Each structure stands twice: as structure tokens, then as C-alpha cells.
Amino acid sequence: MTSEPAYQALFLGAGPHMQCGVGHFTRLLQEAIEKLEPGSCASLTLTRSEASAADIWRAVGSAQNVVCNFPIVAWKRVIVRPLLALAIARLRRRRVVLIQHEWGGLHWLRRITYIPALLLADTIVMFSPLVRSELADDAVVGWIARKCVLAPLPPNIEAPAGIADSRLRERLAAAREEGRLVIGHFGSIYPGKQPNALLRIGAILKERGLKPLIVYVGSFIRGVDTVEESFYTRAAELDLIDDVVVSGYVASDHEVFGLFSEVHAFCYPLDEGLTARRSSILTCVQAGRPLIVTGPALTDEFDHHPRFRELIDRGAIVLVARGSEDEVYAARIASALKWPTIQARFDFDGWWQDVAQAVRAQLV
């Protein structure tokens, strides 16, 4: 006689030692669903050396659903094992719930590695109508978009009670004392975020005598793109080499928000416009500094995400019309010097409860 699975959901992950946004999101999502129904979830660590086919077979058999935030870690490191787990889940008639954060912004080689996971999924959870439409418009796998459901994305990082000092924070504080305009940009640096576009805006501010210092709190994504090389080449062309700082990996949330405390304003000139999947935007908002970003491409981008919409409506996120010249962004940043710092309450747990309920609704 076949016994009932012990868990409602098995989460695929790469273990707590893997420091990446994808893995962190998976752990927080599992914890949030566990709060709704304690004891309902289990996890399976998949690395190059952990989880044999037999281990995966047993783990998949212990749950009714397999949840995979693909890729579970940096895309080149662990690809085969998650796909094997999803294939075994289908073979064992377990429901596969795939979490997919982006599509059109991915390099074409990455999209190829994602396609098997999309095919194996019963349901695909996405966070942005724009990303869903990008998948639907794909000439090869566009039909898969009919599997998609939307969920509200929360931020990965919660503003801590205190902040930590660092050499970079001291440098930013000194720059402010010298009358420099500190502009922030948080998160991994890759082509989809148009990091070079902010450089052009910085050059305009420099021409106007505002002495900008642009701080990118994050690091370049290692991949097939030459984003880091082109970034510094462009900074040199604009005579901004001494006006740009890239922090690299920052180990603690306290240190991250320590850096945020010295920022006058954040700016994201995005070619695709603001989407509901921009977790980095939600992290920055918690600092209470003005955040200036390109408006969304779709009018319904935030219809499924009332908390995100509320941030826009009350002015915590300032939208710049799509197609605006760089001068418009520069003017908004300059005016931000006159805006007060607003530390509104941010219901971090509530944001995560929303996404947990949305994902849980897809489980059998």
C-alpha cells in the first residue's frame, strides 16, 4: 500500500552557504509558507556534489508538489540536478511549480537552459505582466505562457533596526560633507538594468556643477556579457571614472543600509520601465530616500500588486515618463535634494505573506 506524501511542498535549493538572490528568495518563500502551515514543507539541497538520483527520487516522493525557483543558483553552477528533479517529479506525478523571474532580459544562452524547466512545469509563477508578455511573444515557447500565474513580489532584504559602518560609508559621508550629490543604485549589475544609462545622467549633473558621486551597491554578474568592461569604458569616455564607485558584494544588511543612509537619491533609468519584479527597488524604498525610475510599459503592471502600487501612489517611488531625455532624470535627482527623508512603516512580513498565499494557492 502506497503511503501519502509527508509534505505538501518540496523546495529545491542550493543550501544556505550559496549567497545569491535566487537562493535567498527560495529560503524566505519556504519560511513564509511554513508560517501559514507549519510542517508542510521540506527542502532538498542540490549542488555539484550533493543529491544523487536516488536521493532526488526519495525526496520528490515525500511531497505532493515540487517548487523550483529556477535557476536555484548562479546559472552555470547547478543546472542538471534541478532539471533531473523536475523530470522525476513529473515521472512520479508530482505537481511542478516553477518560479520564473524574467525572460526577455535574459541572454539567449540562459533562455535555452531555462526552456526544459518551463516545459516540465505544471504552473509557472511570474511577478510581472511584462515578463509574462515577453514569454508569450517568444516565437519558440510562447505557448507556455498559458501556464503562467501572477504573484506579488516582496523584497529579499528587510531594513534592519540599526546600521553598520564601513570604509565605503565613511567615504560617502565625506563626499556629502564636501557638497557632493550621492546617487545610489542597488543590486546586481547587468545589462537589463542599463547601468550605463545612469552614467549619462551623472555626466549631465557634473556639467551642471552638482559634483555627483554615483555608488553602485552590488557587483557585476559574471556571464557571457562584457558588462563590466563596457561600463568602465563608458565611464572613462564621460570623464566619470573618479565619480563612480562599485561596492562589490556587501555581506550584511546592516552594512547595505549603512550605505543607503548616505545616499541622497536612487535612480533607475530602465529601458523596459519599472516592473513589479524589481525587488531591488523595494529594498531601496525602505531607506526613505527619493527613488526615481522610468514608468512602466504596461498600464496594468501593478494591478496584481496593491502594495507596490501604494508606494507609487504616495510618492515613495517617483516615475519618469518613458522616452524622457536624460536631462529629465537629472532634474528630478537635483530636486531630490530638497525632499525630506520619509521613514514610513514597511510591513515586510505582510509582503511575504502575500506571495506565500499566492504560491500556496498553486499547490495541490
Side-chain angles (χ1 to χ4, degrees):
M1 185 174 181
T2 304
S3 61
E4 287 293 318
Y7 302 101
Q8 185 180 32
L10 174 72
F11 283 79
L12 305 182
H17 60 287
M18 296 304 298
Q19 300 291 333
C20 72
V22 175
H24 189 49
F25 179 91
T26 301
R27 292 192 294 274
L28 290 175
L29 178 59
Q30 180 180 343
E31 291 171 4
I33 292 178
E34 280 275 358
K35 288 180 181 179
L36 296 176
E37 189 174 351
S40 63
C41 302
S43 61
L44 176 64
T45 297
L46 302 173
T47 67
R48 287 173 174 173
S49 59
E50 295 179 76
S52 65
D55 294 333
I56 295 172
W57 180 273
R58 286 191 294 270
V60 167
S62 71
Q64 295 172 291
N65 306 269
V66 173
V67 181
C68 180
N69 189 17
F70 195 84
I72 62 171
V73 73
W75 76 294
K76 288 184 178 180
R77 298 183 184 179
V78 185
I79 287 291
V80 175
R81 279 183 170 85
L83 293 177
L84 176 61
L86 298 185
I88 289 175
R90 293 303 299 264
L91 182 63
R92 302 202 66 172
R93 298 185 179 181
R94 268 45 177 183
R95 183 171 179 80
V96 173
V97 177
L98 183 72
I99 298 173
Q100 183 71 38
H101 291 260
E102 53 185 322
W103 188 253
L106 294 169
H107 190 279
W108 66 270
L109 285 175
R110 295 194 184 195
R111 287 201 296 271
I112 288 174
T113 67
Y114 285 38
I115 288 175
L118 296 172
L119 294 172
L120 290 166
D122 292 292
T123 297
I124 302 168
V125 177
M126 285 188 165
F127 302 103
S128 164
L130 180 64
V131 176
R132 181 178 60 182
S133 68
E134 289 172 349
L135 178 60
D137 292 340
D138 191 290
V140 178
V141 293
W143 60 271
I144 292 178
R146 67 191 184 199
K147 299 181 183 181
C148 295
V149 298
L150 291 173
L153 181 72
N156 264 11
I157 300 175
E158 180 180 15
I163 59 175
D165 204 1
S166 63
R167 288 185 178 179
L168 179 54
R169 181 173 182 264
E170 292 173 359
R171 178 179 174 183
L172 300 183
R176 287 174 60 113
E177 286 292 324
E178 295 168 2
R180 302 198 68 175
L181 171 58
V182 180
I183 305 166
H185 185 285
F186 170 69
S188 299
I189 306 170
Y190 61 98
K193 280 189 176 177
Q194 289 85 48
N196 292 11
L198 185 53
L199 294 177
R200 296 195 302 269
I201 295 166
I204 293 171
L205 291 167
K206 187 173 182 177
E207 289 174 359
R208 296 180 181 179
L210 291 174
K211 299 188 292 184
L213 179 63
I214 308 173
V215 55
Y216 291 80
V217 183
S219 55
F220 293 95
I221 286 183
R222 295 178 182 177
V224 294
D225 306 298
T226 58
V227 59
E228 184 172 3
E229 179 183 342
S230 64
F231 175 85
Y232 284 112
T233 298
R234 185 57 174 154
E237 292 172 351
L238 293 170
D239 191 27
L240 289 174
I241 285 293
D242 296 329
D243 306 307
V244 172
V245 178
V246 177
S247 71
Y249 176 69
V250 181
S252 76
D253 298 345
H254 292 79
E255 188 175 343
V256 167
F257 278 85
L259 299 176
F260 285 1
S261 70
E262 300 299 337
V263 169
H264 286 108
F266 295 93
C267 185
Y268 288 84
L270 301 171
D271 185 55
E272 68 176 9
L274 179 62
T275 64
R277 71 175 185 86
R278 288 291 179 190
S279 177
S280 55
I281 296 281
L282 299 175
T283 299
C284 294
V285 164
Q286 296 176 70
R289 300 298 192 266
L291 193 149
I292 297 146
V293 62
T294 313
L298 303 180
T299 57
D300 64 346
E301 181 64 35
F302 303 99
D303 286 357
H304 71 293
H305 204 329
R307 291 185 192 267
F308 211 137
R309 170 64 69 182
E310 189 272 335
L311 293 174
I312 297 170
D313 291 344
R314 68 175 170 85
I317 296 174
V318 179
L319 301 182
V320 174
R322 292 173 55 78
S324 295
E325 299 293 332
D326 293 336
E327 287 77 6
V328 177
Y329 291 92
R332 290 290 177 85
I333 292 171
S335 66
L337 292 172
K338 305 172 185 177
W339 300 349
T341 297
I342 302 174
Q343 290 288 359
R345 180 178 178 274
F346 194 94
D347 184 11
F348 187 81
D349 290 340
W351 284 69
W352 275 96
Q353 186 178 62
D354 289 350
V355 70
Q357 290 173 337
V359 173
R360 188 182 174 203
Q362 306 307 317
L363 307 179
V364 296

